[in-house]
Amino acid sequence: MIQRRSARCVATLGAVWVATVLTGCVGADLSRSMTEVNSSLAGFTAGDLALATTEAQRRAMRETSTALLAKPLDQAAAVRVALLHSAEMQAMLANAWADEADAAQAGRIPNPIFTFERTATDTVVDYDRLLSIGLLDLLLLPQRQAMARSRTQGARLMLATRVVERVTQVREAWVRAIAARQQVVFARRVRDAADASAELAERMQAAGNFNRLERARQQAFYADAVAQLASREHAALAAREALVRLLGLDGDEATGLQLADRLPDLPAEPSSGESVSAAAARQRLDVQLARARFDAAIGARRLGRASSFVDVEAGARRGTEVARDDGDREDFDGYELEIRLPLFDWGGMARTKVGARALAAGSEVEASLLAADSRLREAYSAYRTAFDLARHYRDEVVPLRKTISDENLLRYNGMLIGVFELLADARDQAVSVMAAIDAEQQFWIAEAALRATTVGVPTGDGMVLGAGGAGGGDAGGGH
């Protein structure tokens, strides 16, 4: 009677375990993760983040990206192509799916073990069946699932962080490619002006109107301009190829890639610090990720405290004894408990490990909170400084250089200055425009970095000081 009751208890416990597992397991739902990222980061993905798992999906994404590549690519279109077309992006999403499945696995308990035995003597044959499960695993299942949910949420936040990083890289690469292309145009103008000066100086020396030093000075300007143009052309190629890699284009697609001729105009007014702070308060992925890791660490510590002392396996046994002579059979039931005794290892180191990790996770949350505002202030300062410098070049330096150029042209027409002064002024004006392009590039890179920092993904691409001169006063080296 006691054995039958014990068997019924084990059977009941097993039924409860099965029901709990079937109703409370944490799963890896990629479509849900994509939906959450597209919803929370609409300003980065525009709803286009998706993992292609079928050939039909891959074909549809290729068709969309091909249509985008058929036209000059603006920044938003570049981001869409990277999301839809890049093999690296698809690999990142697949790995994120695997990470989420791995995190969800922590909420599962090991499968039950079924053991079958057959033993025989001269008179009887015994059949023994045993179904066993980890009793502690069963009792701690709610804690396991809570920890798994925290880890799964952490995996989803990590996916969002990586998407923001990738999109920011695409935005910055697009800005650099456009700016480098503009720089080449004005570097050619400087080279052409220096070439004209060098050729004229050579002719004037041949006519006896120039000495050797004056001609060498003009020739040096030309040699320097040629070297600068070669560097600018390679920089433009490198910037374009960096964008090509981020977009995941093949050779033919890279050859046909069309980019805009110039960077976008500066906004009429910069974003205010208050609006940036308000946006950052709504979503900080770094803080959310630290909190998810802290919750998972707390769950692991609770599990560690309960499971580090002892481990118990519970099983329901059913046996059958069959007599060889007359075939009579007798069935019997029972149960089995397997207990690992803490004689040599009391689990102290395991508890110390999970406790230390929980302590570290709590400190990481505090560190994230303290660093968030500081990083945001730094990113906004870089953004605002870059905006002010770009506007200064646009409204002050470049117009002044144009005024100087116009006045020098009038002086040249009035025979008050010579052709070398006019050519030197043309070089100076081109250099000032190149410095203005540098300033605009810095602004748009700082703007992309600020947008990433606002959602809690600081990129480290701050303001690069000394990007360009104040107008190239010595670039021309006037005669």
Side-chain angles (χ1 to χ4, degrees), residues 49-106:
L49 184 67
L51 174 62
T53 57
T54 66
E55 183 57 34
Q57 291 174 329
R58 283 188 284 271
R59 183 167 55 253
M61 293 167 72
R62 281 197 301 268
E63 290 174 354
T64 302
S65 60
T66 299
L68 292 170
L69 291 169
K71 300 177 289 186
L73 208 64
D74 61 16
Q75 192 180 67
V79 170
R80 290 196 67 195
V81 171
L83 293 174
L84 297 171
H85 191 71
S86 171
E88 287 188 6
M89 176 66 74
Q90 291 296 297
M92 184 190 75
L93 296 179
N95 285 326
W97 192 9
D99 291 342
E100 186 173 337
D102 187 56
Q105 184 65 37

Coordinates of all heavy atoms in Angstrom, one line a residue, residues 49-106:
L49 N 14.0 46.0 -40.4 CA 14.8 45.0 -39.8 C 14.1 43.6 -39.9 O 13.0 43.4 -39.4 CB 15.2 45.3 -38.4 CG 16.1 44.3 -37.7 CD1 17.5 44.4 -38.3 CD2 16.2 44.6 -36.2
A50 N 14.7 42.6 -40.6 CA 14.1 41.3 -40.8 C 15.2 40.3 -41.1 O 16.2 40.7 -41.8 CB 13.0 41.3 -41.9
L51 N 15.0 39.1 -40.7 CA 15.9 38.0 -41.0 C 15.2 37.1 -42.1 O 14.1 36.6 -41.9 CB 16.2 37.2 -39.8 CG 17.1 35.9 -40.0 CD1 18.4 36.2 -40.6 CD2 17.2 35.1 -38.8
A52 N 15.9 37.0 -43.2 CA 15.3 36.2 -44.3 C 15.6 34.7 -44.0 O 16.8 34.3 -44.0 CB 15.9 36.6 -45.6
T53 N 14.6 33.9 -43.8 CA 14.8 32.5 -43.5 C 14.3 31.6 -44.7 O 14.5 30.4 -44.6 CB 14.0 32.1 -42.3 OG1 12.6 32.4 -42.4 CG2 14.5 32.8 -41.0
T54 N 13.7 32.2 -45.7 CA 13.3 31.5 -46.9 C 13.8 32.1 -48.1 O 14.1 33.3 -48.1 CB 11.7 31.4 -46.9 OG1 11.2 32.7 -47.1 CG2 11.2 30.8 -45.6
E55 N 13.8 31.4 -49.2 CA 14.3 32.0 -50.5 C 13.3 33.1 -51.0 O 13.8 34.1 -51.6 CB 14.4 30.9 -51.5 CG 14.9 31.3 -52.9 CD 16.3 32.0 -52.7 OE1 17.1 31.5 -51.9 OE2 16.6 33.0 -53.5
A56 N 12.0 32.9 -50.7 CA 11.1 34.0 -51.1 C 11.4 35.3 -50.4 O 11.3 36.4 -51.0 CB 9.7 33.5 -50.8
Q57 N 11.7 35.2 -49.1 CA 12.0 36.4 -48.3 C 13.3 37.0 -48.8 O 13.4 38.3 -49.0 CB 12.1 36.0 -46.8 CG 10.8 35.7 -46.2 CD 11.0 35.2 -44.8 OE1 12.1 34.6 -44.4 NE2 10.0 35.4 -43.9
R58 N 14.3 36.2 -49.1 CA 15.5 36.8 -49.6 C 15.3 37.4 -51.0 O 15.9 38.5 -51.3 CB 16.6 35.6 -49.7 CG 17.2 35.3 -48.4 CD 18.4 34.3 -48.6 NE 17.9 32.9 -48.9 CZ 17.6 32.0 -48.0 NH1 17.8 32.3 -46.7 NH2 17.2 30.8 -48.3
R59 N 14.5 36.8 -51.8 CA 14.3 37.4 -53.1 C 13.5 38.7 -53.0 O 13.9 39.7 -53.7 CB 13.4 36.4 -54.0 CG 13.2 36.9 -55.4 CD 12.7 35.8 -56.3 NE 11.5 35.2 -55.8 CZ 11.4 34.0 -55.2 NH1 12.5 33.2 -55.1 NH2 10.3 33.5 -54.8
A60 N 12.6 38.8 -52.1 CA 11.8 40.1 -51.9 C 12.7 41.2 -51.4 O 12.7 42.3 -51.8 CB 10.7 39.9 -51.0
M61 N 13.6 40.8 -50.5 CA 14.6 41.8 -49.9 C 15.6 42.3 -51.0 O 15.9 43.5 -51.1 CB 15.3 41.2 -48.7 CG 14.3 41.0 -47.5 SD 15.0 40.0 -46.2 CE 16.2 41.1 -45.5
R62 N 16.0 41.4 -51.8 CA 16.9 41.7 -52.9 C 16.2 42.7 -53.9 O 16.9 43.6 -54.4 CB 17.4 40.5 -53.7 CG 18.6 39.8 -52.9 CD 19.3 38.8 -53.9 NE 18.4 37.8 -54.4 CZ 18.1 36.6 -53.9 NH1 18.7 36.3 -52.8 NH2 17.3 35.8 -54.5
E63 N 15.0 42.4 -54.2 CA 14.3 43.3 -55.2 C 14.1 44.7 -54.6 O 14.3 45.7 -55.4 CB 12.9 42.7 -55.5 CG 13.0 41.4 -56.3 CD 11.6 40.7 -56.5 OE1 10.6 41.2 -55.8 OE2 11.5 39.7 -57.2
T64 N 13.8 44.8 -53.3 CA 13.7 46.1 -52.7 C 15.0 46.8 -52.7 O 15.1 48.0 -53.1 CB 13.2 46.0 -51.3 OG1 11.9 45.3 -51.3 CG2 13.0 47.4 -50.6
S65 N 16.1 46.2 -52.4 CA 17.4 46.8 -52.4 C 17.9 47.2 -53.8 O 18.5 48.3 -54.0 CB 18.4 45.9 -51.7 OG 18.6 44.7 -52.3
T66 N 17.5 46.4 -54.7 CA 17.9 46.7 -56.1 C 17.2 47.9 -56.6 O 17.8 48.8 -57.3 CB 17.6 45.5 -57.0 OG1 18.3 44.3 -56.6 CG2 17.9 45.8 -58.5
A67 N 15.9 48.1 -56.2 CA 15.2 49.3 -56.6 C 15.8 50.5 -55.9 O 15.9 51.6 -56.5 CB 13.7 49.2 -56.2
L68 N 16.2 50.4 -54.7 CA 16.9 51.5 -54.0 C 18.2 51.9 -54.7 O 18.6 53.1 -54.8 CB 17.1 51.2 -52.5 CG 15.8 51.0 -51.7 CD1 16.2 50.5 -50.3 CD2 15.1 52.4 -51.5
L69 N 19.0 50.9 -55.1 CA 20.3 51.1 -55.7 C 20.2 51.7 -57.1 O 21.2 52.2 -57.6 CB 21.1 49.8 -55.7 CG 21.6 49.3 -54.3 CD1 22.1 47.9 -54.4 CD2 22.6 50.3 -53.7
A70 N 19.0 51.6 -57.7 CA 18.9 52.2 -59.1 C 18.9 53.7 -59.1 O 19.0 54.3 -60.1 CB 17.6 51.6 -59.7
K71 N 18.7 54.3 -57.9 CA 18.7 55.8 -57.8 C 19.8 56.3 -57.0 O 20.4 55.5 -56.2 CB 17.3 56.2 -57.2 CG 16.1 55.8 -58.0 CD 14.8 56.2 -57.3 CE 14.6 55.4 -56.1 NZ 13.3 55.6 -55.5
P72 N 20.2 57.6 -57.1 CA 21.2 58.1 -56.1 C 20.8 57.8 -54.7 O 19.7 58.1 -54.3 CB 21.2 59.6 -56.5 CG 20.8 59.7 -57.9 CD 19.7 58.6 -58.0
L73 N 21.7 57.3 -53.9 CA 21.5 56.8 -52.6 C 21.6 57.9 -51.6 O 22.7 58.4 -51.4 CB 22.5 55.7 -52.3 CG 22.0 54.6 -51.3 CD1 20.8 53.8 -51.9 CD2 23.2 53.6 -51.0
D74 N 20.5 58.3 -50.9 CA 20.6 59.2 -49.8 C 20.9 58.4 -48.5 O 21.0 57.2 -48.5 CB 19.4 60.1 -49.6 CG 18.1 59.3 -49.4 OD1 18.2 58.1 -49.1 OD2 17.0 59.8 -49.6
Q75 N 21.0 59.1 -47.4 CA 21.4 58.4 -46.2 C 20.4 57.4 -45.7 O 20.7 56.3 -45.3 CB 21.7 59.4 -45.1 CG 22.4 58.8 -43.8 CD 22.6 59.9 -42.8 OE1 21.7 60.4 -42.2 NE2 23.9 60.2 -42.5
A76 N 19.1 57.8 -45.8 CA 18.0 56.9 -45.3 C 18.0 55.6 -46.2 O 17.8 54.5 -45.7 CB 16.7 57.6 -45.3
A77 N 18.2 55.8 -47.5 CA 18.2 54.6 -48.4 C 19.4 53.8 -48.2 O 19.3 52.5 -48.3 CB 18.1 55.1 -49.9
A78 N 20.5 54.4 -47.9 CA 21.7 53.6 -47.5 C 21.4 52.7 -46.3 O 21.8 51.5 -46.3 CB 22.9 54.5 -47.3
V79 N 20.8 53.2 -45.3 CA 20.4 52.4 -44.1 C 19.5 51.2 -44.5 O 19.7 50.1 -44.1 CB 19.8 53.3 -43.0 CG1 19.2 52.4 -41.9 CG2 20.8 54.2 -42.5
R80 N 18.5 51.5 -45.4 CA 17.6 50.5 -45.8 C 18.3 49.4 -46.6 O 18.0 48.2 -46.3 CB 16.5 51.1 -46.7 CG 15.5 51.9 -45.9 CD 14.2 52.1 -46.8 NE 13.5 50.9 -46.9 CZ 12.5 50.7 -47.9 NH1 12.2 51.7 -48.7 NH2 11.9 49.6 -47.9
V81 N 19.2 49.7 -47.4 CA 19.9 48.7 -48.2 C 20.8 47.9 -47.3 O 20.8 46.6 -47.4 CB 20.8 49.4 -49.3 CG1 21.8 48.4 -49.9 CG2 20.0 50.1 -50.3
A82 N 21.4 48.5 -46.3 CA 22.2 47.7 -45.3 C 21.4 46.7 -44.6 O 21.8 45.6 -44.3 CB 22.9 48.7 -44.4
L83 N 20.2 47.1 -44.2 CA 19.3 46.3 -43.4 C 18.8 45.1 -44.3 O 18.6 44.0 -43.8 CB 18.1 47.1 -42.8 CG 18.4 48.1 -41.8 CD1 17.2 48.9 -41.4 CD2 19.0 47.4 -40.5
L84 N 18.5 45.4 -45.5 CA 17.9 44.4 -46.4 C 18.9 43.5 -47.2 O 18.5 42.4 -47.5 CB 16.9 45.1 -47.4 CG 15.7 45.9 -46.8 CD1 15.0 46.7 -47.9 CD2 14.8 44.9 -46.1
H85 N 20.0 44.1 -47.4 CA 20.9 43.5 -48.4 C 22.2 42.9 -47.8 O 22.8 42.0 -48.4 CB 21.3 44.5 -49.5 CG 22.0 44.0 -50.7 ND1 21.3 43.2 -51.6 CD2 23.2 44.0 -51.1 CE1 22.1 42.8 -52.6 NE2 23.3 43.3 -52.3
S86 N 22.6 43.4 -46.7 CA 23.9 43.1 -46.2 C 23.9 41.6 -45.6 O 23.1 41.3 -44.7 CB 24.4 44.1 -45.1 OG 25.5 43.6 -44.4
A87 N 24.9 40.8 -46.1 CA 25.0 39.5 -45.5 C 25.5 39.5 -44.1 O 25.1 38.7 -43.3 CB 26.0 38.7 -46.4
E88 N 26.3 40.5 -43.8 CA 26.8 40.7 -42.4 C 25.6 41.0 -41.4 O 25.6 40.5 -40.3 CB 27.9 41.8 -42.3 CG 29.2 41.4 -42.9 CD 30.3 42.4 -42.6 OE1 30.0 43.4 -41.9 OE2 31.4 42.3 -43.1
M89 N 24.7 41.8 -41.9 CA 23.5 42.1 -41.1 C 22.7 40.8 -40.9 O 22.2 40.6 -39.7 CB 22.7 43.2 -41.8 CG 21.4 43.5 -41.0 SD 21.6 44.2 -39.4 CE 22.2 45.9 -39.9
Q90 N 22.5 40.0 -41.9 CA 21.7 38.8 -41.8 C 22.4 37.8 -40.8 O 21.8 37.2 -40.0 CB 21.5 38.2 -43.1 CG 20.6 39.0 -44.1 CD 19.2 39.0 -43.5 OE1 18.5 38.0 -43.4 NE2 18.7 40.2 -43.2
A91 N 23.8 37.8 -40.9 CA 24.5 36.9 -40.0 C 24.4 37.4 -38.6 O 24.2 36.6 -37.6 CB 26.0 36.9 -40.4
M92 N 24.4 38.7 -38.4 CA 24.2 39.2 -37.0 C 22.9 38.9 -36.4 O 22.7 38.5 -35.3 CB 24.4 40.8 -37.0 CG 24.4 41.4 -35.7 SD 24.3 43.2 -35.8 CE 22.6 43.4 -36.3
L93 N 21.8 39.0 -37.3 CA 20.5 38.6 -36.8 C 20.3 37.2 -36.5 O 19.7 36.8 -35.5 CB 19.4 39.1 -37.9 CG 19.3 40.5 -38.2 CD1 18.3 40.8 -39.3 CD2 19.0 41.3 -36.9
A94 N 21.0 36.3 -37.3 CA 20.9 34.9 -37.1 C 21.6 34.5 -35.8 O 21.2 33.7 -35.0 CB 21.5 34.1 -38.2
N95 N 22.8 35.2 -35.5 CA 23.5 34.9 -34.3 C 22.7 35.4 -33.1 O 22.7 34.8 -32.0 CB 24.9 35.6 -34.3 CG 25.9 34.9 -35.2 OD1 25.8 33.6 -35.3 ND2 26.7 35.6 -35.9
A96 N 22.0 36.5 -33.3 CA 21.1 37.1 -32.2 C 20.0 36.1 -31.9 O 19.6 35.9 -30.7 CB 20.6 38.4 -32.6
W97 N 19.5 35.4 -32.9 CA 18.5 34.4 -32.7 C 19.0 33.2 -31.9 O 18.4 32.7 -30.9 CB 18.0 33.9 -34.0 CG 16.7 33.1 -34.0 CD1 15.9 32.9 -32.9 CD2 16.1 32.4 -35.1 NE1 14.9 32.1 -33.2 CE2 15.0 31.7 -34.5 CE3 16.5 32.2 -36.4 CZ2 14.2 30.9 -35.3 CZ3 15.6 31.4 -37.2 CH2 14.5 30.8 -36.7
A98 N 20.3 32.8 -32.2 CA 20.9 31.8 -31.5 C 21.2 32.2 -30.0 O 21.0 31.4 -29.1 CB 22.2 31.4 -32.2
D99 N 21.6 33.4 -29.8 CA 21.8 33.9 -28.5 C 20.6 33.9 -27.6 O 20.6 33.6 -26.4 CB 22.4 35.3 -28.5 CG 23.8 35.3 -29.1 OD1 24.5 34.3 -29.1 OD2 24.3 36.4 -29.5
E100 N 19.5 34.3 -28.3 CA 18.2 34.3 -27.6 C 17.7 32.9 -27.2 O 17.2 32.6 -26.1 CB 17.1 35.0 -28.4 CG 15.8 35.2 -27.7 CD 14.8 36.1 -28.5 OE1 15.3 36.8 -29.4 OE2 13.6 35.9 -28.2
A101 N 18.0 32.0 -28.1 CA 17.6 30.6 -27.9 C 18.5 30.0 -26.7 O 18.0 29.3 -25.9 CB 17.8 29.7 -29.1
D102 N 19.7 30.4 -26.7 CA 20.6 29.9 -25.6 C 20.2 30.5 -24.3 O 20.2 29.8 -23.3 CB 22.1 30.4 -26.0 CG 23.1 29.8 -25.0 OD1 23.1 28.6 -24.8 OD2 23.8 30.6 -24.4
A103 N 19.7 31.8 -24.3 CA 19.3 32.4 -23.1 C 18.0 31.7 -22.6 O 17.8 31.5 -21.4 CB 19.0 33.9 -23.3
A104 N 17.1 31.4 -23.5 CA 15.8 30.7 -23.2 C 16.1 29.3 -22.6 O 15.3 28.8 -21.8 CB 14.9 30.7 -24.4
Q105 N 17.1 28.7 -23.1 CA 17.4 27.3 -22.7 C 17.7 27.2 -21.2 O 17.4 26.2 -20.5 CB 18.7 26.8 -23.4 CG 19.0 25.4 -23.1 CD 18.0 24.4 -23.6 OE1 17.4 24.6 -24.6 NE2 17.7 23.3 -22.8
A106 N 18.1 28.4 -20.6 CA 18.3 28.4 -19.1 C 17.0 28.1 -18.3 O 17.1 27.8 -17.2 CB 19.0 29.7 -18.7

